[in-house]
Amino acid sequence: MSEPYDIAVIGGGIMGCGAALRVAQGGMRPILLDMGDLGQGASGVNAGTLSLQIKRVSLIPYALRGHRMWEQMGDAVGFHKTGGFTVAFTPREAELLLERQTLKAAAGAPIEFISVEALRKAEPNLSQKVQAASFCAEDGYANASLTGQYYRARLGAAGIPYRERCAVTQITRSAHGFTLQTEGGIVSATRVLLAAGGWLRPLARMLGVDLPVAARINTVSVTERMPTIMSHVIGHATGLLTMKQKTNGTVLIGGGWQGRGTPQTGRGEVTAESLSPNLALAQFAVPALKDARVLRSWTGFEANTPDFYPLAGALAGVPDAFVLGCVRGGYTIGPYISELMGDFILGRDPELPLFDPGRDFEKALT
Ligand SMILES: Cc1cc2nc3c(=O)[nH]c(=O)nc-3n(C[C@H](O)[C@H](O)[C@H](O)COP(=O)(O)OP(=O)(O)OC[C@H]3O[C@@H](n4cnc5c(N)ncnc54)[C@H](O)[C@@H]3O)c2cc1C
């Protein structure tokens, strides 16, 4: 029997790929397994928004470092730093904007409030109904559909074996650590990292742990090519809209509107009840969008915990097992938090604190 790997990383999204790269840099011999293709999950189908303005306040330090990493990845991931505006249409939304962005600025995000006149100059196609706006020069986007090919190249260059279409169906503890039954045969490893996104719960159950993970079914839409109608990332004070126009003229519209389905059944379903208000809000913000045809809408599964903070650390009660996932804005933060996770597995002190997967969620909510 061949030597067990130092760690089996289960899940080839941003979290799993980033952590595998980090532990390999630190001298470990990892193997990465995905039930589909690398980046086929949330990491490859998300809206690609890299906006500090839509991050939770306490995740801002992680997002700032994530932004820097995306910038370094550059063209290989379709990175564009456009700057971003977040807009409010009513006094209540303006209050919300002030309250939220002030806290984020205090946490280190370079967010400023700008006048409606300055906004109109920068984005003349935005609705005349905007009452207040904030701006962050660091905001931008990358192309999520490049995630798989990007990490495939990096894992290959680092000499890290990865197996695609190789679902892990059972995990048992053994003398040397863990024995994984997979669709491609048995894999043995001293440690395991569960990085299976919306599929974390069934995976952790294989080790007898019930993680409180639920999946959200986010919807994203893309329009046909349009003449230039916006040049920054545009968001709404409630967080229910993000938009950007790609260099090819298409406009990507998201905002966390919910479709239907479960990760277990594979694909989610776009519903008219959530698509219509999402597109209506987009059109309200940029009226020129009324001339655009939506070419495609799709869903992806985003994992969530009851307190909406990540799971990143040791899996309680199972020595040498680790978990990483459920990061709000996980596309932005993923490259950075996966390095922190790798450091933790290597026995190093992470630069910023991780998020104990064994915490008391009831207590965290009170
Ligand atoms: C539609 C949508 C839009 C989003 N928009 C944004 C955005 O604009 N900006 C932002 O910052 N964040 C966004 N997010 C969040 C972000 O995409 C996620 O937080 C992040 O990609 C999660 O990465 P992950 O590696 O944890 O999970 P995933 O990318 O889902 O990876 C998990 C992997 O595990 C594999 N897997 C599962 N079970 C098994 C098994 N048993 N055996 C082997 N492999 C398994 C899956 O095939 C999958 O590839 C969005 C999410 C969605 C769904």
Side-chain angles (χ1 to χ4, degrees):
M1 195 177 140
S2 59
E3 270 293 286
Y5 291 94
D6 291 327
I7 183 162
V9 177
I10 308 169
I14 286 186
M15 304 299 170
C17 291
L21 286 163
R22 189 64 161 192
V23 294
Q25 278 164 9
M28 279 188 183
R29 204 168 66 94
I31 182 168
L32 186 136
L33 308 161
D34 198 287
M35 66 179 174
D37 296 328
L38 299 189
Q40 72 149 26
S43 302
V45 301
N46 64 64
T49 311
L50 305 170
S51 169
L52 292 164
Q53 298 186 76
I54 52 171
K55 296 294 168 296
R56 302 195 84 197
V57 175
S58 43
L59 294 181
I60 291 288
Y62 301 80
L64 277 165
R65 289 163 173 84
H67 266 236
R68 263 175 243 140
M69 292 175 76
W70 281 105
E71 193 161 5
Q72 282 159 10
M73 293 183 240
D75 289 344
V77 291
F79 175 81
H80 289 274
K81 192 196 276 192
T82 56
F85 292 107
T86 303
V87 298
F89 299 113
T90 66
R92 174 68 199 113
E93 288 171 9
E95 244 175 66
L96 194 68
L97 186 75
L98 182 67
E99 192 186 308
R100 288 185 177 174
Q101 307 303 8
T102 302
L103 288 172
K104 290 172 198 181
I111 298 172
E112 52 189 312
F113 294 95
I114 60 147
S115 68
V116 173
E117 292 67 38
L119 173 71
R120 296 230 163 94
K121 224 168 165 186
E123 286 289 358
N125 289 306
L126 268 173
S127 161
Q128 297 296 311
K129 299 207 167 79
V130 173
Q131 292 198 4
S134 57
F135 177 69
C136 179
E138 286 301 305
D139 286 354
Y141 65 87
N143 182 349
S145 66
L146 296 175
T147 303
Q149 74 179 54
Y150 173 77
Y151 278 110
R152 216 173 270 123
R154 286 206 50 197
L155 293 170
I160 299 172
Y162 58 87
R163 296 192 194 157
E164 298 179 277
R165 295 165 198 256
C166 186
V168 173
T169 52
Q170 200 184 322
I171 311 174
T172 42
R173 286 205 56 98
S174 52
H176 53 69
F178 299 91
T179 300
L180 282 64
Q181 309 269 358
T182 80
E183 284 175 338
I186 302 277
V187 172
S188 302
T190 314
R191 306 169 187 79
V192 282
L193 170 63
L194 314 185
W199 296 267
L200 267 175
R201 193 165 201 167
L203 197 63
R205 279 206 189 113
M206 295 181 196
L207 287 166
V209 178
D210 189 25
L211 287 175
V213 176
R216 281 167 58 82
I217 305 108
N218 295 350
T219 304
V220 184
S221 299
V222 66
T223 70
E224 63 185 330
R225 293 170 191 228
M226 303 272 296
T228 304
I229 52 170
M230 67 187 85
S231 45
H232 300 80
V233 170
I234 307 290
H236 183 241
T238 56
L240 290 172
L241 176 68
T242 62
M243 272 194 295
K244 78 271 313 175
Q245 186 165 21
K246 300 289 194 81
T247 47
N248 67 1
T250 59
V251 177
L252 213 62
I253 302 170
W257 291 79
Q258 296 297 287
R260 215 182 278 139
T262 64
Q264 283 65 40
T265 57
R267 288 185 185 278
E269 203 185 309
V270 176
T271 67
E273 306 91 77
S274 75
L275 187 60
S276 309
N278 188 192
L279 299 181
L281 183 57
Q283 259 185 45
F284 186 81
V286 177
L289 274 172
K290 74 177 185 327
D291 297 326
R293 284 176 297 186
V294 170
L295 288 188
R296 193 163 73 90
S297 300
W298 64 92
T299 57
F301 297 110
E302 184 183 29
N304 257 296
T305 60
D307 62 7
F308 300 107
Y309 282 105
L311 299 177
L315 187 66
V318 188
D320 300 320
F322 304 88
V323 57
L324 174 62
C326 309
V327 184
R328 268 281 158 113
Y331 183 65
T332 312
I333 296 172
Y336 178 67
I337 199 166
S338 58
E339 284 200 355
L340 294 183
M341 189 71 219
D343 286 344
F344 181 72
I345 293 167
L346 289 163
R348 299 173 182 162
D349 277 339
E351 183 186 36
L352 289 178
L354 287 172
F355 298 83
D356 182 8
R359 64 185 175 271
D360 181 345
F361 288 92
E362 293 297 323
K363 207 166 142 203
L365 285 171
T366 51

